[in-house]
């Protein structure tokens, strides 16, 4: 192990060598960009770049016409960048060293195109010349962007063509035929080909135009359906997360260097600090870093609620109004509504945008507790609800409970019932099975909201009655029970809402907020913001920058899992470096510095996998998964 880790100087030199690996020039000249009519305004300066064993060329040297190498950078790739199908405009993107040659073949006898200037051209089939029958698109907008400051770090040529399927197909088929030089004739397929999934992004990564965190945020931006998803994705397109993760990796690298210096020189060199002080110093740094990682893991889970959607379960007794509530929220008949109990047996999943948050509602079977009776008299159809529960309903109740426990937010739907027929007194009906499920969700840390439905049955014009009285009565009913126990602190007044699905369905109502639905939606949006806001417990005396907390919301599930793995190695390091009181030399055998340094190396490698930079054995596998998305 000591042979492996020689000195701090070598370690730090190795680190700087890794950090500058992407900027090394290749030992041989790059591929050539040229056009049929060489013009100085189209001449591009370039040099190749080497990244993790692959050479990618940003541009070609001015006036140099050389022979292409056999590296992957010689390939020019192209693809349809817009969605397939019929449209007004379609964009074909081309990236690589053959952009000039492709332009010259598609636009023969045309003047040179100025970089970063859109130009109108006619596109011709390179195999048919310039006759009328050879025209692919009579009016196409051409845009040339010279590297390295492009999306891929290479020369990029964009063809903005008419979006008819036939035109798009013809242009895509003509691009590989643009390499007409006799030297390239036998190698057309290898020099110009259709891009593989994620290949443009891969080249951007290897040419240092994007890091993995930015690439994942870009994917989220393309998949964003709601305003909050868009905001989260746009926030992640900056490289703030990558810079932070890289700074943490560098801290671990230098901390590991201090320990390895202790391994190599503890016996024959004099240190200003004792070995115990060196280990203690590294331990303090790791504890601070651990606190930052814990906050990132916590906030990453909150950001995932925005990215993946908030799972909401509607829980209540049969005929409490869950299906009616779902239909009013989504604005369509998503679930069957009937006065007959047990209409909903399976889970009905519906997605909807509420205040910029994507919500996945689940309407489920009503929960009720089976009543044990000692009579053999069969239940008569139409005489009221049966106390027995059949196998199908029992399975529906089981699925409802499972979906509630798997949700992020549980909406408990209660109903107002008259205490006796023709009685003006009322009560909030709370089934024991519903209360038990709500209590369990509360214990599991789920967010719980209570709705009191059917308020249209109340004597609203009666003297002294108001909704506050109803909410207070419901809160008392929920918290006064001995079993199951629902803590009063978990039943907040601002999370109890009184609604009427019947009044909300009456579009000609003169009430400003029919049925209280707008108040309900505003309350839910407030709960969503609370669930997805960045948090920082602030334990351990570590000060967390507010900007860091906000940035941590953009961490993806892949990044969160790697941070959790990194925390595991840091915990192993801290467990192995606890130094008992007394002289350090007395506990040398108990402190395995080599294992401690190895834990720091593994922790740093987890951070390297997040950004895709640095030395990591299986980073290539990670890149493949991310790029294909």
């Amino acid at each position: 192990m000591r042979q492996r880790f020689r000195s701090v100087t070598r370690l730090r030199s190795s680190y700087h060598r890794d950090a500058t690996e992407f900027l090394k020039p290749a030992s041989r000249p790059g591929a050539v960009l040229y056009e049929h009519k060489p013009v100085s305004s189209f001449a591009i300066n370039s040099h190749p770049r080497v990244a993790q064993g692959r050479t990618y060329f940003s541009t070609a040297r001015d006036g140099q016409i050389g022979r292409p190498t056999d590296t992957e950078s010689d390939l020019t790739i192209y693809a349809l960048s817009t969605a397939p199908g019929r449209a007004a405009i379609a964009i074909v993107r081309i990236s690589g060293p053959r952009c000039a040659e492709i332009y010259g073949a598609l636009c023969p006898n045309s003047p040179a195109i100025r970089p970063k200037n859109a130009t109108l051209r006619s596109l011709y089939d390179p195999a048919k010349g310039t006759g009328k029958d050879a025209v692919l698109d009579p009016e196409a907008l051409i845009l040339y962007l010279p590297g390295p400051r492009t999306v891929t770090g290479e020369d990029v040529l964009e063809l903005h063509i008419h979006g008819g399927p036939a035109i798009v197909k013809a242009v895509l088929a003509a691009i590989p035929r643009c390499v007409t030089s006799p030297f390239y004739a036998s190698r057309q397929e290898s020099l110009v080909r259709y891009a593989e999934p994620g290949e443009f992004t891969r080249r951007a990564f290897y040419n240092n135009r994007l890091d993995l965190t930015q690439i994942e945020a870009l994917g989220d931006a393309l998949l964003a359906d709601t305003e909050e998803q868009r905001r989260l994705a746009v926030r992640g397109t900056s490289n703030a997360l990558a810079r932070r993760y890289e700074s943490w990796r560098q801290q671990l690298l230098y901390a590991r260097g201090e320990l390895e210096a202790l391994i190599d020189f503890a016996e024959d060199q004099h240190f200003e600090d004792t070995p115990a002080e060196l280990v203690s110093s590294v331990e303090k740094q790791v504890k601070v870093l651990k606190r930052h990682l814990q906050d990132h893991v916590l906030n990453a889970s909150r950001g995932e609620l925005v990215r993946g959607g908030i799972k909401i379960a509607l829980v209540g007794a049969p005929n409490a109004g869950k299906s009616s509530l779902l239909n009013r929220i989504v604005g369509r008949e998503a679930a069957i509504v009937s006065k007959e109990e047990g209409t909903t047996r399976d889970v009905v999943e519906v997605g909807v945008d509420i205040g910029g948050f994507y919500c996945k509602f689940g309407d489920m079977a009503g929960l009720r507790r089976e009543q044990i009776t000692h009579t053999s008299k069969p239940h008569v159809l139409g005489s009221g609800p049966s106390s027995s529960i059949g196998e199908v309903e029992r399975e529906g109740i089981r699925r409802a409970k499972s979906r509630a426990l798997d949700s992020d937010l549980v909406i408990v739907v209660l109903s107002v019932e008259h205490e006796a027929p023709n009685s003006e007194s009322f009560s909030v009906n709370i089934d024991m099975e519903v209360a038990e499920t709500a209590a369990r969700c509360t214990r599991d840390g789920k967010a719980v909201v209570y709705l009191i439905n059917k308020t249209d049955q109340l004597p609203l014009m009666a003297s002294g009655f108001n909704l506050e009285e109803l909410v207070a009565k419901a809160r008392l009913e929920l918290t006064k029970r001995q079993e199951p126990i629902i803590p009063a602190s978990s039943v907040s007044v601002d999370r109890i809402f009184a609604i009427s699905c019947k009044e909300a369905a009456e579009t000609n109502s003169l009430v400003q907020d029919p049925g209280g639905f707008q108040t309900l939606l505003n309350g839910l949006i407030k709960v969503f913001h609370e669930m997805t806001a960045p948090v920082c417990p602030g334990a351990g005396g570590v000060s967390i920058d507010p900007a860091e907390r906000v940035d941590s919301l953009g961490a993806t599930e892949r990044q969160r899992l790697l941070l959790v793995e990194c925390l595991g190695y840091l915990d192993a390091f801290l467990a192995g470096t606890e130094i008992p009181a007394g002289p350090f030399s007395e506990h040398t055998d108990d402190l395995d510095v080599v294992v401690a340094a190895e834990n720091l190396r593994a922790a740093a490698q987890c951070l390297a996998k997040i950004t895709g930079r640095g030395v990591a054995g299986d980073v290539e596998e990670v890149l493949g998964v991310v790029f294909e998305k």
Side-chain angles (χ1 to χ4, degrees), residues 152-191:
T152 61
E154 304 173 324
D155 290 338
V156 172
L157 185 67
E158 287 190 355
L159 310 177
H160 297 238
I161 61 178
H162 290 90
I167 293 179
V168 173
K169 183 178 179 180
V171 172
L172 291 177
I175 291 175
R177 300 196 297 267
C178 291
V179 182
T180 57
S181 173
F183 176 79
Y184 303 124
S186 61
R187 305 177 58 197
Q188 289 182 15
E189 293 184 0
S190 62
L191 290 176

Side-chain angles (χ1 to χ4, degrees), residues 99-410:
C99 287
E101 189 171 354
I102 292 173
Y103 166 76
L106 292 176
C107 307
N109 303 325
S110 296
I113 184 173
R114 295 180 61 84
K116 302 181 180 179
N117 281 268
T119 306
L120 195 64
R121 293 283 186 269
S122 295
L123 301 184
Y124 294 86
D125 189 334
K128 296 182 179 180
T130 58
K132 292 183 178 180
D133 293 339
V135 177
L136 300 175
D137 191 343
E139 292 182 335
L141 201 64
I142 312 298
L143 183 62
Y144 171 69
L145 304 172
R149 301 188 66 177
T150 63
V151 64
T152 61
E154 304 173 324
D155 290 338
V156 172
L157 185 67
E158 287 190 355
L159 310 177
H160 297 238
I161 61 178
H162 290 90
I167 293 179
V168 173
K169 183 178 179 180
V171 172
L172 291 177
I175 291 175
R177 300 196 297 267
C178 291
V179 182
T180 57
S181 173
F183 176 79
Y184 303 124
S186 61
R187 305 177 58 197
Q188 289 182 15
E189 293 184 0
S190 62
L191 290 176
V192 181
R193 62 167 174 80
Y194 203 84
E196 298 175 355
E199 191 168 2
F200 284 95
T201 309
R202 181 183 290 272
R203 293 194 175 196
F205 171 78
Y206 282 127
N207 285 326
N208 290 330
R209 299 302 299 167
L210 295 172
D211 57 59
L212 279 189
T213 59
Q214 291 176 301
I215 291 171
E216 289 178 302
L218 176 62
D220 292 339
L222 297 177
L223 296 175
D225 293 320
T226 69
E227 176 63 16
E228 291 298 325
Q229 290 176 336
R230 182 197 66 80
R231 293 177 59 186
L232 183 66
V234 170
R235 189 185 301 125
T237 53
S238 68
N239 62 345
L241 273 178
R243 289 199 310 267
R244 198 172 306 280
Y245 293 147
E246 182 60 25
S247 68
W248 291 348
R249 190 179 77 91
Q250 187 174 1
Q251 292 176 32
L252 290 175
L253 186 61
Y254 288 136
R256 173 183 155 203
E258 293 184 22
L259 291 182
E260 290 174 2
L262 185 61
I263 296 173
D264 290 335
F265 307 116
E267 298 178 356
D268 53 359
Q269 296 290 335
H270 174 70
F271 288 92
E272 294 182 0
D273 299 326
T274 64
E277 291 174 337
L278 283 175
V279 174
S280 178
S281 174
V282 173
E283 188 177 1
K284 290 179 181 178
Q285 298 175 40
V286 170
K287 286 182 178 179
V288 173
L289 180 58
K290 177 184 174 182
R291 186 61 202 156
H292 284 274
L293 262 67
Q294 288 174 334
D295 287 331
H296 268 246
V297 169
L298 179 61
N299 288 326
S301 299
R302 288 177 162 250
E304 193 63 28
L305 293 178
V306 177
R307 186 180 296 106
I310 301 174
K311 296 180 67 174
I312 303 176
L314 301 180
V315 175
N319 272 359
K322 301 183 299 299
S323 298
S324 299
L325 172 65
L326 177 67
N327 292 342
R328 292 306 306 169
I329 290 177
V330 302
R332 61 184 177 87
E333 297 295 324
I336 299 175
V337 177
S338 173
K339 293 182 179 181
E340 180 182 348
E341 288 189 351
T343 304
T344 305
R345 296 297 178 92
D346 207 348
V347 179
V348 179
E349 299 277 359
V350 182
V352 63
D353 180 354
I354 298 180
F357 293 92
Y358 180 66
C359 304
K360 296 181 286 187
F361 281 88
D363 181 24
M364 304 167 295
L367 304 182
R368 66 186 181 99
R369 183 159 295 181
E370 187 171 10
Q371 301 294 329
I372 300 177
T373 59
H374 302 281
T375 178
S376 58
K377 183 178 179 180
H379 174 71
V380 180
L381 184 64
S383 63
S386 174
S387 61
S388 62
I389 297 178
E391 290 298 325
V392 176
E393 186 179 2
R394 195 184 310 277
E395 175 63 19
I397 291 175
R398 186 195 66 79
R399 294 187 182 188
K401 291 181 179 180
S402 176
R403 175 64 166 79
L405 294 174
D406 189 45
S407 300
D408 305 307
L409 172 64
V410 177

Side-chain angles (χ1 to χ4, degrees), residues 224 256 404 435 456 548 606 616:
R256 173 183 155 203
D456 55 279
E548 178 182 338
C606 291

Side-chain angles (χ1 to χ4, degrees), residues 461-612:
M461 303 305 294
S463 173
F465 175 80
N466 53 54
L467 291 180
E468 287 76 11
E469 177 185 347
L470 177 64
V471 170
K473 191 168 186 177
R475 186 173 185 272
L476 180 63
E477 289 289 334
L478 287 167
T479 58
K480 74 177 183 179
R481 297 169 176 263
Q482 297 296 323
E483 190 68 30
I485 299 175
I486 302 179
S489 58
S490 66
V491 185
S492 175
V493 174
D494 59 355
R495 290 200 177 186
I496 302 178
F497 301 92
I499 65 170
S500 171
C501 295
K502 181 179 179 181
E503 288 183 354
E506 297 175 358
T507 55
N508 58 349
S509 176
L510 300 178
V511 183
Q512 184 178 3
D513 183 12
F517 259 77
Q518 191 57 51
T519 302
L520 168 63
L521 293 179
N522 292 338
L524 289 179
I525 294 173
K526 181 181 178 181
V527 173
F528 298 157
H529 280 290
E530 293 174 357
M531 294 172 62
T532 58
V535 295
C536 177
V542 179
S543 177
I544 306 295
D545 184 7
E548 178 182 338
R549 298 201 302 268
V550 175
D551 291 337
S552 62
L553 291 173
T556 62
E557 181 66 10
R558 182 190 72 87
Q559 297 168 20
R560 188 189 70 82
L561 293 176
L562 287 171
L563 291 176
V564 171
E565 185 179 351
C566 181
L567 281 171
Y569 287 116
L570 295 185
D571 287 334
F573 167 83
L574 294 174
T577 55
E578 293 182 358
I579 304 176
F584 177 79
S585 59
E586 295 180 3
H587 306 285
T588 303
D589 295 336
D590 298 331
L591 181 60
D592 196 332
V593 182
V594 175
V595 173
E598 181 65 16
N599 284 326
L600 293 184
R601 184 200 65 80
Q605 184 153 316
C606 291
L607 296 177
K609 292 178 184 178
I610 294 179
T611 61

Side-chain angles (χ1 to χ4, degrees), residues 17-30 47-58 69 71-73 153-154 202-203 205-208 613 620:
R17 183 172 64 254
D18 296 335
T20 58
E21 185 69 20
F22 294 95
L23 302 179
K24 280 186 178 180
S27 59
R28 49 187 174 179
H47 65 274
R49 294 183 177 182
V50 175
Q52 296 192 8
R54 300 171 182 239
T55 307
Y56 286 90
F57 293 80
S58 303
T69 64
T71 60
E72 190 172 340
S73 63
E154 304 173 324
R202 181 183 290 272
R203 293 194 175 196
F205 171 78
Y206 282 127
N207 285 326
N208 290 330
R613 306 300 186 189
E620 281 296 324

